[in-house]
Amino acid sequence: MGYVLVEATNMGIYPPVFSDTHEVVYDKMRKRIAEIRGVPVYEVQESLTICKDWGWAEKDGVSYTFRIFEVPTQVSTDKETVFTQSTRSRFHEDGICPLCGKEIDYVGAYEHDDDGATLDWQCPSCGASGKAGYTFAFDQHYCIQDGEGNEVE
């Protein structure tokens, strides 16, 4: 396994940074955040103690979000492929962007299939987009009628 650092803004996703070790991409993230904030790297270290795989910075009205993912070492360097592979089965919460953790906007209408439905979404914070998947689950019976068509309560 290897590690990838993904940097995204409300303008789009930057080319990812790969490494065999977590420390290398973590150090790159710290230095980039310090550069954006205009502060020494040790100040960034203090703000990342809660979660070492996520960081953020803001400058001139642009929000920067950083996320470190563990990925197979033979992963593509194409940013769309990396985004897809790195977010699969990670950080799934309804209404929350799996990349930056902020609220998403739903777009359009549900697309139904045999197992449930999907709904397109976009993240106004980092520019990511995708589909939210919902599966149908049994709730209860409604409008019950006996064999002769009489309503049963």
Side-chain angles (χ1 to χ4, degrees):
M1 298 299 281
Y3 296 87
V4 61
L5 171 62
V6 178
E7 177 181 347
T9 71
N10 47 353
M11 311 293 249
I13 300 172
Y14 286 75
V17 175
F18 293 92
S19 177
D20 291 335
T21 65
H22 185 275
E23 292 78 24
V24 170
V25 292
Y26 179 69
D27 191 49
K28 288 186 183 293
M29 178 175 68
R30 286 178 43 230
K31 288 178 180 175
R32 181 74 175 114
I33 291 172
E35 174 188 332
I36 293 166
R37 291 183 183 170
V39 299
V41 174
Y42 72 84
E43 287 186 19
V44 173
Q45 176 68 29
E46 293 172 9
S47 69
L48 295 176
T49 55
I50 295 172
C51 180
K52 291 186 175 185
D53 292 337
W54 184 87
W56 67 273
E58 195 167 3
K59 181 178 182 181
D60 299 328
V62 178
S63 296
Y64 297 82
T65 303
F66 300 86
R67 204 66 185 258
I68 297 174
F69 298 100
E70 187 175 18
V71 294
T73 52
Q74 299 299 321
V75 72
S76 167
T77 56
D78 171 66
K79 70 179 181 180
E80 294 302 322
T81 302
V82 169
F83 180 75
T84 301
Q85 291 178 354
S86 61
T87 58
R88 188 174 294 137
S89 75
R90 294 178 175 261
F91 314 112
H92 295 290
E93 185 177 338
D94 192 21
I96 302 299
C97 177
L99 181 61
C100 72
K102 299 211 175 149
E103 287 190 30
I104 57 177
D105 292 333
Y106 292 103
V107 181
Y110 286 99
E111 296 176 25
H112 295 272
D113 60 26
D114 290 340
D115 298 322
T118 58
L119 184 60
D120 292 339
W121 59 264
Q122 292 179 331
C123 179
S125 179
C126 71
S129 63
K131 290 183 177 286
Y134 300 89
T135 55
F136 294 123
F138 178 77
D139 180 33
Q140 66 182 19
H141 295 283
Y142 297 92
C143 303
I144 304 167
Q145 298 178 349
D146 64 19
E148 296 175 7
N150 300 315
E151 186 174 327
V152 178
E153 293 187 33

